[in-house]
Amino acid sequence: MQKVAVLGATGSIGSSALDVIARHPQAMRASVLAAGRQVEALLELCRRHRPEHAVIADPDGYPALRDGLRAAGLDTRAHAGPAALNALVASDACDTVIAAIVGAAGLSSTLAAARAGKRLLLANKESLVLAGELLMREARAHAATIIPIDSEHNAIFQCLADGNPPTRITLTASGGPFRGWSRTALATVTPAQAVAHPKWSMGPKISVDSATLMNKGLEVIEAHHLFAVPADAIRVLVHPQSLVHSLVDFADGSTLAQLGLPDMRTALAVGLGWPHRIASGVGALDLLAQGGRLEFEPPDLDAFPCLALAFAALSTGGIAPAALNAANEEAVSAFLQCRIGFLDIPDIVSATLDAMPPHAADSLETLLAADARARQLAQASIATRGGRA
Ligand code: NAD
Ligand code: MG
């Protein structure tokens, strides 16, 4: 019986993961469920999936979680705070960890899973952007298996299954809700418009990242670390149908791709079952039913500067990707609260990167300090723009 810890259980990836796990009751079960602050939603999941442990990151949520579990007559043990989560992740309470917390907040539990040698289904791309070298090193040192839970990287993982090195990777991008829009038109878009993704149903932060194309930029950095490919061997193509999830070129002229409907349960089933294929609840792809067309176009870097900013941060290296990620998290959060406009997001990220002197990423402390400094700079920049949105 595979025991799975679902971190970020109340989110979009968390709920897709629990759906796949529940389809295989003889083979796997959710043994640990963790969430940020939504106690009621976590309790509801505990009633349905009956895990051994439930963790709420926000310590203020602990009494309600404990009392709610008791009132429901469940044996599930309540825990609170990041230290409790990390200890559970590293313990024999689980052998597989689904890292689906959003943002840099997911780094410490992701690292704990890598250091404990778990099978790590990694959705939390921000931890790779913030500390990719460190995370990959820890995973290697402790024989943790990382299976990417990002549709593009999961596609590439599948294409690389025979162990041959790629000569180039092409990440596909849907283009988001504003594909084809000019910079002028983008100036006045609202959070509601930005989170209305045409192809994928996702949490608010990654939805905004998809609208700015920062998501694709974070994914370029993610691919660099996961597959040990240099930035100049990674290309991005906009593919509005979101059916080809990425492509890999090899030395012999072959290009392999993975296709499927845009539903993260496929990637999660790959992660949970690998090397076996297991049912995910996602139907087979029928290209004719999907319109019979697969289109590709280059990204518009003028209207969507975040992608170029991410490539630049990757080539600068050191602390730059950590600063990019932190400034972006702050800017996206301010945009979602209507404190800044959509075009302020790349401006704030760019200004933050410019204000941070280059520095080697020599330790976790250095990276966390860069993350903190970038957040301060971004918040100061947000404060000067407040009211303009
Ligand atoms: P979401 O906003 O729907 O869910 C986030 C989850 O993280 C929630 O359960 C929340 O309670 C939890 N959380 C937030 N802060 C926390 C904290 N400090 N401590 C513990 N838990 C905390 O987000 P999502 O769309 O499910 O995305 C999760 C991650 O997966 C992100 O890193 C995202 O980039 C990545 N991802 C998502 C998708 C997708 O289709 N949704 C696809 C690829 C990658
Ligand atoms: Mg993706």
Side-chain angles (χ1 to χ4, degrees), residues 125 150-153 206 215-216 219:
K125 65 187 88 187
D150 208 342
S151 56
E152 301 76 5
H153 307 72
I206 183 175
N215 182 51
K216 212 48 54 180
E219 290 184 357

Side-chain angles (χ1 to χ4, degrees), residues 243-270:
L243 298 173
V244 178
H245 296 309
S246 276
L247 308 101
V248 182
D249 299 342
F250 294 93
D252 60 4
S254 295
T255 296
L256 297 189
Q258 185 259 354
L259 285 76
L261 294 171
D263 186 322
M264 289 307 293
R265 291 178 300 173
T266 297
L268 286 155
V270 168

Side-chain angles (χ1 to χ4, degrees), residues 126-148:
E126 294 91 346
S127 62
L128 272 173
V129 175
L130 169 48
E133 269 152 41
L134 184 86
L135 178 55
M136 296 307 290
R137 197 164 62 230
E138 294 289 348
R140 270 193 304 275
H142 297 95
T145 305
I146 296 185
I147 303 183

Side-chain angles (χ1 to χ4, degrees), residues 6-18 34-36 38 41 45 100 201-204:
V6 184
L7 318 187
T10 55
S12 161
I13 290 284
S15 95
S16 292
L18 288 168
Q38 307 90 328
L45 293 177
S201 160
M202 309 182 287

